[in-house]
Amino acid sequence: NETKEYKAKIIGLDPKTDLAVIKIDAKDLQAAKFGNSNNLQEGDMVFAIGNPFGVGGSVTQGIVSALNKSGIGLNQYENFIQTDASINPGNSGGALVDSRGALIGINSAILSRSGGNNGIGFAIPSKMVKDIATTLIKDGKIDRGYIGVAISDLTNDLKDIYDSENGALILNVESNSPANKAGIKRGDLIIEIDNKAIKDANDLKNIVGNKTPGKTIEVKFERNSKIKSTQIILANM
């Protein structure tokens, strides 16, 4: 096993997605090929690479159990690949690859009561990794769009009140925030941003967070059974 250690320089950190870019001085390294995590399907075979429990380089096999997992409470921005490939302490930061060996995720965490693997592991999809890493290399930091609202999903008892079946419910609007200036009020149900349907609160958070501060977005929302629209100029989180 390769035991050589390298000094690393931090290029950029993004705690909200639990990703970082570091640089080492090394020659003749074999780069992993990036796969497209958007093409993944449940049931696809995957392999998790890492150094679990410090036993040395190790590969485990499993399938993609679920996609677009959020609300796990690990990171602020979540869109995990769930897998039953054994991921244990020491696998975090390691590659999740498809059957062709292409990188489709970075192993992040497990759900476990005992600390060991229970078959529910999470990986950050390669599409998110690529977007975040590219920005960190270019700018050294991530600037995220911000509108200044507290949001939740539509609960079953609230679904009777709204005509729309999906959306992000506004629980609170900060004073002087971009949403407040655009006329968004508590009780509004945001159903579209820039003509893209908003399924739930996490959808809204990810879409707004992925947009550049200063950009103007077109927002469609339901209020008192009427569909209205407004423009919000994004601030910087």
Side-chain angles (χ1 to χ4, degrees):
N1 264 354
E2 173 70 65
T3 54
K4 186 169 182 192
E5 292 187 0
Y6 297 91
K7 277 204 170 114
K9 179 187 175 195
I10 294 169
I11 301 298
L13 303 169
D14 183 42
K16 288 185 170 74
T17 56
D18 199 26
L19 289 166
V21 174
I22 61 172
K23 185 178 184 178
I24 62 172
D25 275 327
K27 290 184 173 61
D28 304 324
L29 293 180
Q30 190 73 42
K33 282 194 169 63
F34 264 78
N36 187 351
S37 54
N38 286 355
N39 296 338
L40 272 182
Q41 294 186 342
E42 288 168 8
D44 282 353
M45 189 186 286
V46 288
F47 300 88
I49 300 170
N51 181 7
F53 300 112
V55 297
S58 171
V59 181
T60 52
Q61 176 196 334
I63 61 165
V64 172
S65 321
L67 294 162
N68 309 119
K69 297 291 279 193
S70 60
I72 312 297
L74 297 166
N75 303 329
Q76 191 167 339
Y77 291 90
E78 298 181 330
N79 184 19
F80 289 119
I81 299 163
Q82 185 183 316
T83 177
D84 67 350
S86 267
I87 292 175
N88 285 294
N91 278 109
S92 296
L96 188 73
V97 301
D98 64 16
S99 54
R100 297 170 302 119
L103 181 80
I104 44 97
I106 291 186
N107 303 323
S108 180
I110 54 171
L111 279 192
S112 169
R113 291 197 173 92
S114 62
N117 172 60
N118 288 345
I120 299 182
F122 299 104
I124 302 162
S126 60
K127 172 77 172 74
M128 185 188 268
V129 171
K130 209 170 191 176
D131 292 347
I132 298 289
T134 305
T135 307
L136 286 176
I137 290 164
K138 189 162 117 309
D139 302 330
K141 65 185 192 333
I142 304 286
D143 287 326
R144 287 192 169 85
Y146 168 80
I147 60 173
V149 291
I151 49 177
S152 82
D153 294 338
L154 265 188
T155 54
N156 283 335
D157 50 340
L158 284 172
K159 281 186 177 170
D160 298 338
I161 301 170
Y162 295 91
D163 296 337
S164 309
E165 288 180 18
N166 299 306
L169 180 64
I170 303 296
L171 299 179
N172 190 37
V173 182
E174 290 173 24
S175 55
N176 289 326
S177 65
N180 179 259
K181 288 171 188 164
I184 297 289
K185 292 190 167 78
R186 182 172 180 231
D188 289 346
L189 182 73
I190 293 186
I191 54 172
E192 257 180 41
I193 287 181
D194 290 342
N195 296 321
K196 190 179 189 317
I198 300 296
K199 296 192 295 288
D200 52 26
N202 191 63
D203 226 12
L204 179 75
K205 185 170 71 174
N206 282 340
I207 284 170
V208 170
N210 278 332
K211 291 190 182 287
T212 316
K215 191 177 188 298
T216 300
I217 57 170
E218 194 74 40
V219 179
K220 211 175 262 186
F221 60 95
E222 182 184 328
R223 178 189 294 168
N224 299 332
S225 293
K226 291 192 178 73
I227 304 296
K228 298 173 175 281
S229 68
T230 186
Q231 291 187 328
I232 301 180
I233 301 166
L234 299 177
N236 193 336
M237 185 185 287

